[in-house]
Amino acid sequence: MQLQLISIVLILHCMEYTNSQHHGSRHRLHKQGSGVSSQGCQGGCQTCSVYNGCLTCKPKLFIHLERDGMRQIGVCLASCPNGFYGTRSPDRNDCIKCGSECDSCFNRNFCLRCRAGSYLHKGKCMESCSDGLVPSDTKKECVPACPAECDSCQNSDTCTRCAPGHFLLHGQCYHVCPDEFEPNDSMECIPTVHCEVGEWSEWGPCSRSGKTCGFKWGEETRSRKVLQNPSPMGSPCPATSEKRECFVKRRRCKPKGQRRGEKKKRFNLQEKDNAEARRERKREREKETIDREDSESRNKTEHRRRRDQSRDTGTV
């Protein structure tokens, strides 16, 4: 009888211990799921929850709530995503959703970019433009029928001639031409052309003071051609010739006597040409003299004929 009583007491004690362990485990799980902690937070969180993500963020970061099924998970960002704008307060910085028509906004009442099918005008997204404006599919805005910098245009996005002080490029007017373009006399932006040069030629013969003999050290030269001259604002051409010092085995120049012989030969040829030229001029002078004498003889004959004719007429 005493042994049975002891057994019953031990069984009740074990059941009580088991229940207390199960209750403690459930309490810890609940605390981990809903409690706030600053240990192990990621991505800029200051405090976080396993179930809801970031609850507060580190200074200067915005808290943004992302939906995951039926729950919302907080994340900390340096800037708010498209469709949201940031608000700051001493306690926290929040990402607030823009209006339904805005793709991005400055605040709830001022859009910066509109969703497809709407056009921005003075911070509002409009399905159609008013006040004499037309929709621009390129800018997604309501713009003047012809942009202010255009003198004439094809449509709201394409200029055909720019106002004074602007330059035309691909249907747009610029006060200053973009990089790699330059203005021309027609007030257009045209591509900038840079200088292009060819390959270097082979090095020329080693020479010194115009001679190729009588020295050991001289200079040799090589050059390259300009293939494309630059436009006024293009990169200028680099050097098209260069020299370098050269060494050759010294060799004697031809003796001066040979040079005098060559000079005498050239002189004789020149004298021969001069003599022929003098003979030609003499023949021309003789011909002119004969022609002049023939002309004078004909004139005398004609004069005598007229005189005789006049005398015969007076006698009759």
Side-chain angles (χ1 to χ4, degrees):
M1 184 73 180
Q2 187 175 5
L3 291 173
Q4 290 179 348
L5 181 62
I6 292 172
S7 298
I8 292 171
V9 170
L10 289 172
I11 291 171
L12 292 173
H13 181 73
C14 289
M15 291 177 64
E16 182 180 0
Y17 177 77
T18 301
N19 288 336
S20 67
Q21 289 293 326
H22 181 66
H23 177 74
S25 176
R26 285 191 302 171
H27 177 72
R28 286 193 298 272
L29 289 173
H30 176 73
K31 185 176 181 180
Q32 289 176 357
S34 60
V36 177
S37 173
S38 60
Q39 301 296 322
C41 293
Q42 302 293 328
C45 297
Q46 192 168 31
T47 59
C48 58
S49 162
V50 174
Y51 186 78
N52 294 112
C54 295
L55 301 177
T56 59
C57 297
K58 293 179 180 180
K60 297 184 179 181
L61 298 181
F62 294 92
I63 187 165
H64 174 60
L65 299 179
E66 296 179 343
R67 184 168 294 279
D68 181 17
M70 296 298 295
R71 64 173 180 165
Q72 289 183 327
I73 299 176
V75 294
C76 294
L77 305 171
S79 60
C80 295
N82 285 343
F84 292 81
Y85 65 94
T87 61
R88 295 186 184 274
S89 67
D91 298 329
R92 55 187 285 162
N93 305 323
D94 293 290
C95 288
I96 308 298
K97 189 172 181 63
C98 297
S100 59
E101 73 279 7
C102 292
D103 192 36
S104 65
C105 60
F106 179 74
N107 56 42
R108 187 178 295 275
N109 299 316
F110 197 96
C111 293
L112 298 177
R113 187 171 63 249
C114 299
R115 298 188 185 277
S118 298
Y119 300 94
L120 184 67
H121 180 53
K122 295 182 179 180
K124 303 293 183 183
C125 291
M126 310 171 67
E127 293 184 358
S128 61
C129 298
S130 58
D131 299 331
L133 304 177
V134 295
S136 169
D137 292 328
T138 304
K139 298 180 179 179
K140 302 298 182 184
E141 299 177 6
C142 292
V143 299
C146 193
E149 64 272 14
C150 290
D151 197 20
S152 63
C153 59
Q154 182 177 338
N155 51 48
S156 61
D157 296 322
T158 307
C159 295
T160 55
R161 187 174 65 251
C162 296
H166 293 77
F167 304 94
L168 184 66
L169 174 63
H170 304 323
Q172 303 296 314
C173 292
Y174 296 85
H175 184 65
V176 177
C177 290
D179 291 342
E180 293 301 317
F181 289 87
E182 62 184 70
N184 64 5
D185 295 336
S186 300
M187 302 301 289
E188 297 175 332
C189 293
I190 59 174
T192 300
V193 179
H194 302 291
C195 179
E196 295 181 17
V197 295
E199 298 294 330
W200 286 106
S201 66
E202 296 294 331
W203 288 101
C206 191
S207 63
R208 183 175 178 180
S209 301
K211 299 178 181 179
T212 58
C213 59
F215 61 90
K216 286 186 177 180
W217 291 99
E219 284 184 341
E220 56 186 3
T221 305
R222 67 175 182 175
S223 61
R224 55 184 173 182
K225 294 182 178 180
V226 174
L227 304 178
Q228 176 65 64
N229 288 310
S231 59
M233 297 182 67
S235 299
C237 293
T240 55
S241 66
E242 63 180 11
K243 298 180 179 180
R244 69 178 182 183
E245 195 175 39
C246 55
F247 173 80
V248 294
K249 184 177 180 181
R250 183 190 293 273
R251 61 186 181 87
R252 292 184 177 182
C253 297
K254 292 181 180 181
K256 293 184 178 180
Q258 292 186 13
R259 289 202 298 270
R260 284 199 298 269
E262 293 175 357
K263 186 183 294 184
K264 184 177 181 181
K265 184 178 179 180
R266 290 196 299 270
F267 177 77
N268 291 337
L269 290 175
Q270 186 175 2
E271 281 296 311
K272 183 178 179 181
D273 292 340
N274 292 340
E276 182 64 29
R278 285 195 297 270
R279 284 193 294 270
E280 181 65 26
R281 287 196 297 271
K282 183 178 179 182
R283 285 194 293 268
E284 290 178 356
R285 287 196 299 271
E286 290 176 350
K287 186 177 181 300
E288 290 175 356
T289 301
I290 293 172
D291 290 342
R292 186 171 59 255
E293 290 176 352
D294 289 344
S295 177
E296 290 176 354
S297 178
R298 286 194 300 271
N299 290 337
K300 290 178 180 180
T301 303
E302 179 66 21
H303 179 69
R304 284 196 300 270
R305 186 185 65 78
R306 289 181 180 180
R307 186 182 59 192
D308 293 341
Q309 185 179 8
S310 177
R311 185 184 300 116
D312 292 343
T313 303
T315 304
V316 175

